[in-house]
Amino acid sequence: MMSGLVLLWLAVLPCENAASELQQLTVLSRGEPVAMDAHLEALEQRWEGLPLRAPGDETPAERAETAARRIQAACAPPEAVPETQPRTTEPERLQEILSRPEFAQARQRQGDLLQRLMRELKAFLEELLMTREAQGFATGTRTLVLGLGFAAVLFAVLRLRHWRRGPARREAGTETGAAALELDSPGEHLTRARAALGARPREAIREGLLALLSSLEAKRLARPDRVKTNRELVGELPGRGASAQLTGEVERLVRWYDQAFYSLEPVPPQDAARFVDDVERLHQGLAGAVA
């Protein structure tokens, strides 16, 4: 049905004007190349939408040649298609040839050859597997598999033991940490901070922070159990009666300490000395307020 529609479409083409159209294309390509595109667009409409332009054509001469070739091909008389006998597929034809009597002995020889090759391959594999090297490889493989299995079981047992002992270890560590965080008086911490300024500035600012915490606890501005972080402690100061000036000063000191102590850069000794001085000044102010 599709071929019939194509023939019907070709029948309505104005092939009687093909000669004049081809001549006009030649004239335009030589004399008026600028008007070639507009002419081709109008020509496609007259020729029932027949595509006369190709994307690869760049010059007017190439466009004219493409249009002329397509018009000639559309108006050319259809070639007679010779009737052909239906052909059988290649597998069917091969099966037909091999089924002839003269090929019976060839089929028998082919079957014997295939069986002989299979027997030789089987014998070679059996001989290979029975060699000493193959036996050693099999033994080594079994040993490796058993070793990997034993290692996996041992790893699982150790992980289980570590998981069971984890909570007890964490509780012991918590108790040890709480005991290690016992604070001394602010004066003792400041004395140790002064002694560590020259050689260990980071240890000096830690002692200064402990002196600050000890001063706040003495004033009842911090909880004695010290379970809060430094910034949480600063956030609780207004609720415990600290003035805005004191809260701001403690916040400044704590912020600087966090940045300096947890930084990968070394703490400059002069910055550490200034921090210790600020803590001591704040401690003296709190002590004067208590007195």
Side-chain angles (χ1 to χ4, degrees):
M1 180 175 179
M2 183 63 68
S3 59
L5 293 176
V6 173
L7 292 176
L8 181 61
W9 177 67
L10 292 175
V12 300
L13 295 178
C15 290
E16 63 275 4
N17 302 327
S20 62
E21 298 287 5
L22 295 178
Q23 183 179 3
Q24 190 174 2
L25 283 173
T26 304
V27 172
L28 283 176
S29 65
R30 295 176 180 176
E32 300 181 20
V34 179
M36 178 61 68
D37 291 335
H39 179 72
L40 288 177
E41 185 176 357
L43 192 62
E44 287 178 347
Q45 295 179 359
R46 291 199 300 272
W47 281 76
E48 302 297 332
L50 178 67
L52 301 178
R53 291 173 287 183
D57 296 339
E58 297 181 356
T59 62
E62 292 177 351
R63 298 190 186 97
E65 182 180 355
T66 300
R69 186 170 60 253
R70 293 184 177 181
I71 289 175
Q72 291 174 355
C75 293
E79 297 180 357
V81 179
E83 296 183 358
T84 58
Q85 296 294 333
R87 298 179 58 186
T88 59
T89 60
E90 294 297 334
E92 294 177 354
R93 181 171 177 78
L94 180 61
Q95 184 65 29
E96 180 184 355
I97 294 174
L98 293 178
S99 62
R100 295 175 184 175
E102 56 266 26
F103 289 99
Q105 296 181 356
R107 290 197 304 273
Q108 185 65 29
R109 288 196 301 271
Q110 183 70 17
D112 294 341
L113 177 62
L114 181 60
Q115 292 178 3
R116 186 168 62 254
L117 289 176
M118 292 298 296
R119 288 195 297 269
E120 292 179 358
L121 179 60
K122 181 179 179 181
F124 172 75
L125 291 177
E126 290 178 352
E127 181 180 0
L128 179 63
L129 293 176
M130 291 303 294
T131 58
R132 182 177 302 176
E133 291 80 3
Q135 292 178 356
F137 175 76
T139 303
T141 303
R142 288 195 297 270
T143 304
L144 178 62
V145 171
L146 289 176
L148 291 177
F150 178 75
V153 172
L154 181 61
F155 177 77
V157 171
L158 292 177
R159 291 294 297 176
L160 180 61
R161 183 180 179 186
H162 175 76
W163 177 74
R164 288 182 175 179
R165 295 182 60 184
R169 188 184 299 112
R170 284 193 295 269
E171 291 177 2
T174 303
E175 295 176 358
T176 304
L181 196 59
E182 242 0 274
L183 295 180
D184 296 325
S185 64
E188 295 180 8
H189 286 296
L190 288 173
T191 301
R192 289 196 289 266
R194 296 289 183 189
L197 278 176
R200 303 186 306 277
R202 194 179 301 274
E203 180 66 21
I205 64 173
R206 180 177 180 275
E207 291 291 340
L209 179 70
L210 295 179
L212 174 62
L213 295 177
S214 180
S215 298
L216 293 176
E217 286 187 1
K219 189 69 172 172
R220 299 187 180 276
L221 296 176
R223 294 180 57 183
D225 54 7
R226 294 174 299 283
V227 297
K228 302 277 185 186
T229 63
N230 294 338
R231 297 195 178 183
E232 290 174 343
L233 182 145
V234 173
E236 290 181 352
L237 288 177
R240 294 181 176 275
S243 63
Q245 181 180 0
L246 176 61
T247 303
E249 181 64 15
V250 174
E251 182 179 7
R252 182 184 68 83
L253 292 174
V254 167
R255 186 185 304 113
W256 184 90
Y257 172 84
D258 289 341
Q259 294 176 355
F261 188 82
Y262 297 108
S263 174
L264 298 178
E265 299 295 330
V267 179
Q270 59 274 18
D271 294 344
R274 185 165 50 251
F275 175 76
V276 174
D277 291 341
D278 292 342
V279 171
E280 185 174 8
R281 190 161 42 251
L282 187 142
H283 166 63
Q284 292 174 355
L286 288 176
V290 171

